Amino acid sequence: MPVKVISAAVTAAFFLSAAMVGAQACEPTQLPSPHNRNQSKIDFINGSRYAFQVFWSDFEGNLSPFAVVQPGERANYKTYAGHRWYVEMYTPDGEECFGPIWTDSGDHCVARMLYDGGIGIDSSACSF
């Protein structure tokens, strides 16, 4: 097998692995989202060099996966005020969890996720 094929397979397995070493991944249960009828929006923008997974915390606190956001991509959702969202970023040092992220009112939360040795956020109308 050519070296390039093996190298690509090892790299893909590294970045897709759910059990990476290093930083801590998001726990499967978190703070639950409150019941609320006040509609809002949330956008996740990937301003980093690493892919991340977006999760919504349901009413019991169980994380539900929504999307994998690649560098330079954006994912947006209709949501409700107070609903808890989490980002799990896949870096060479391991998975890192950031959250919860939410909006306190019907505002449009824009969360631009960054990475510089740790997850950062540049946000508008978001709480965390």
Side-chain angles (χ1 to χ4, degrees):
M1 184 180 267
V3 175
K4 287 183 181 178
V5 174
I6 292 172
S7 176
V10 169
T11 301
F14 176 76
F15 284 106
L16 297 176
S17 171
M20 297 167 81
V21 237
Q24 186 162 345
C26 292
E27 296 294 325
T29 56
Q30 298 286 344
L31 290 173
S33 289
H35 291 277
N36 190 326
R37 292 181 181 251
N38 189 4
Q39 292 184 348
S40 64
K41 294 180 184 177
I42 191 164
D43 288 6
F44 294 94
I45 301 168
N46 192 340
S48 79
R49 299 179 307 167
Y50 308 109
F52 62 76
Q53 173 86 39
V54 175
F55 294 93
W56 173 69
S57 181
D58 69 17
F59 303 118
E60 285 76 44
N62 301 307
L63 293 187
S64 298
F66 266 68
V68 173
V69 184
Q70 298 295 331
E73 291 184 347
R74 175 186 213 129
N76 49 40
Y77 304 103
K78 291 181 182 178
T79 188
Y80 294 89
H83 279 209
R84 306 304 196 230
W85 294 83
Y86 291 80
V87 167
E88 184 174 82
M89 191 171 287
Y90 307 106
T91 75
D93 297 326
E95 299 166 348
E96 288 194 35
C97 186
F98 187 93
I101 305 165
W102 72 93
T103 179
D104 288 319
S105 64
D107 292 337
H108 183 173
C109 167
V110 178
R112 185 169 160 258
M113 306 309 297
L114 308 167
Y115 188 85
D116 186 15
I119 294 180
I121 184 171
D122 178 18
S123 68
S124 169
C126 303
S127 295
F128 44 93

